[in-house]
Amino acid sequence: MIAIAWLTALETVRQPICLILTTSAILFIGVLPLVVNYTFGETGKVIRDSGLAVFLLMGVLLSTYAACLSIAREMKSGTISAVLSKPVDRTLFLLAKFAGITGIILLYCLLVAMAVIMSERTVSELYEIDFYSAGSLLMAPFAAYLIAALINYFSDRNFVSNAFALQVICVMLAFVWTGFMDRTGAMQAFGLLYNWKLIPAAMLLTMALLTLLAIAVTLATRLDAVPTLVICSVVLIVGLLSDYFFGRHAETSWWAEICYAVVPNWQHFWVVDGLTGGGEIQWSVVWATGRYALLYTTGVLCLAVSLFNFSEIK
C-alpha cells in the first residue's frame, strides 16, 4: 500500500498541470498586492479573501485532475488491470491511491497558505508595499524553475517533478527568510508581521479540498475527467448555497432535509468573514468542522470502494 501511494504521488507531481496550477496560485497571490489598491476599510482584507479564494479554486482543479489521472485514466488504459492481476486487494489499492493524492494536496495547501500569509503581510501598512515579502514570494517559483532546468540540463532528470519539489523548498525558505525581516530589512523575531490567524482558515480549506478529493475519487471510478470536473464544480457551487437552497426548507420539507444532509455544506469550511476587523476563527470551529469532514470523507470513500469493487476493469 505504501509503494502504491508513493508511486501515485510521484506520478501526480510529474504531470505538468500539477506544477502549472501550483505555480499559478502562488504567483497570482503574490501579484495581488501589487495590483489591488483598495482596502474596503481594512488593510489586507481584499488580499486575504482573494488569496483564499484562489487557494480553493486551484485546489479544486488540482484535486479533480489528480483523481482522474490516477484512477479514471488508468482504468481506461488498462494499467490498473496489470496491478490488480497481482495479489493486490482492490480496497487497499483505491485507498492507497487516495493517500498518494492526499500527500500532494497537503503540499499544495502548505505552499499556498504560506503565500497567502506573505501576501497579506505585503500590504499590512496602508498604501505601502513590503517588497521584502512580495519580492521573495515572487522570486521563489522562478528560482525553483531555474535550478530544476539546470538539473535537467546537466543530469537529464525529470524537470517537472524536480521543479515541484524545489518550489516547495524555495517557498518555505522565502517564508522563513521574510519572517526574520521587518519592513526595513532589519532582523526581528520570527513572524512578528505575519498574521497567524490565517492558519485556521487555511486548515479549514485544506479539509474542504480533501473532502472534495474523496468525491472526485468516487466519481473517477465511473466517469472520465470532464464529467468528474463538471460534477465536482456543481457540488461545490450547490454546497456553498446549501443553506439557502435546502437549509431554510429542511424543517418543513423531507426532500430538502435529505438534500441538506447529503450535499456537503462548504460554508462550514469558508469562514473567512470571521477574520474581518481583527477577529479570529475559534479552534473549536476547526475541530468541529474537522469531525464533519472526517465523517463525510469516510462515508464517500466507502461508496468509492463499493463502486470500485464492483466495477469491470478491462
Side-chain angles (χ1 to χ4, degrees):
M1 181 174 178
I2 296 177
I4 295 174
W6 171 254
L7 290 174
T8 301
L10 189 61
E11 180 185 19
T12 302
V13 298
R14 284 181 173 175
Q15 301 302 314
I17 189 65
C18 177
L19 179 63
I20 291 172
L21 288 174
T22 305
T23 304
S24 298
I26 293 172
L27 291 179
F28 189 87
I29 293 170
V31 168
L32 275 175
L34 306 180
V35 298
V36 175
N37 57 6
Y38 46 86
T39 64
F40 289 113
E42 182 183 346
T43 303
K45 174 178 171 56
V46 176
I47 304 302
R48 178 178 65 238
D49 293 356
S50 301
L52 292 174
V54 173
F55 185 133
L56 180 60
L57 176 61
M58 294 297 186
V60 169
L61 296 176
L62 179 59
S63 301
T64 306
Y65 178 82
C68 294
L69 170 71
S70 298
I71 299 174
R73 182 182 296 183
E74 290 191 8
M75 291 181 67
K76 189 175 182 179
S77 63
T79 307
I80 285 182
S81 61
V83 178
L84 295 180
S85 63
K86 307 295 189 296
V88 177
D89 183 75
R90 284 196 177 199
T91 299
L92 291 179
F93 177 82
L94 186 66
L95 294 179
K97 285 285 188 180
F98 176 78
I101 303 172
T102 295
I104 303 305
I105 297 301
L106 291 177
L107 283 177
Y108 162 84
C109 292
L110 175 64
L111 286 176
V112 181
M114 290 189 293
V116 174
I117 292 174
M118 293 178 68
S119 186
E120 188 185 10
R121 168 191 156 141
T122 301
V123 292
S124 58
E125 294 292 334
L126 189 62
Y127 303 123
E128 292 185 12
I129 299 294
D130 185 349
F131 288 102
Y132 288 98
S133 179
S136 58
L137 177 59
L138 292 174
M139 288 301 297
F142 291 105
Y145 276 51
L146 177 60
I147 298 172
L150 292 175
I151 293 175
N152 175 262
Y153 179 80
F154 288 108
S155 64
D156 201 29
R157 295 180 62 183
N158 185 273
F159 170 80
V160 176
S161 58
N162 281 332
F164 185 88
L166 287 167
Q167 189 167 238
V168 174
I169 296 173
C170 290
V171 172
M172 292 181 68
L173 290 175
F175 184 80
V176 173
W177 181 80
T178 305
F180 283 110
M181 295 285 182
D182 65 11
R183 300 180 66 85
T184 63
M187 296 295 293
Q188 64 173 7
F190 178 74
L192 287 181
L193 296 181
Y194 285 156
N195 183 6
W196 297 108
K197 295 177 181 179
L198 280 168
I199 292 179
M203 291 179 64
L204 289 172
L205 289 182
T206 301
M207 296 175 194
L209 291 179
L210 294 181
T211 303
L212 194 64
L213 173 62
I215 297 174
V217 167
T218 303
L219 294 172
T221 60
R222 297 290 180 174
L223 302 174
D224 288 333
V226 174
T228 299
L229 177 59
V230 171
I231 294 175
C232 285
S233 301
V234 171
V235 169
L236 178 65
I237 295 172
V238 174
L240 286 172
L241 300 173
S242 179
D243 289 333
Y244 178 78
F245 284 155
F246 312 120
R248 60 178 181 162
H249 304 295
E251 295 182 357
T252 58
S253 174
W254 62 268
W255 65 267
E257 184 178 4
I258 293 175
C259 291
Y260 193 57
V262 172
V263 176
N265 191 335
W266 304 114
Q267 289 294 339
H268 295 321
F269 304 93
W270 183 265
V271 291
V272 183
D273 289 342
L275 299 174
T276 303
E280 60 182 275
I281 300 171
Q282 298 297 323
W283 285 104
S284 59
V285 175
V286 177
W287 293 121
T289 306
R291 291 193 296 270
Y292 171 79
L294 179 61
L295 291 173
Y296 196 95
T297 301
T298 302
V300 172
L301 286 178
C302 289
L303 177 60
V305 168
S306 177
L307 292 173
F308 187 67
N309 284 336
F310 290 98
S311 62
E312 181 181 355
I313 299 177
K314 300 179 181 180

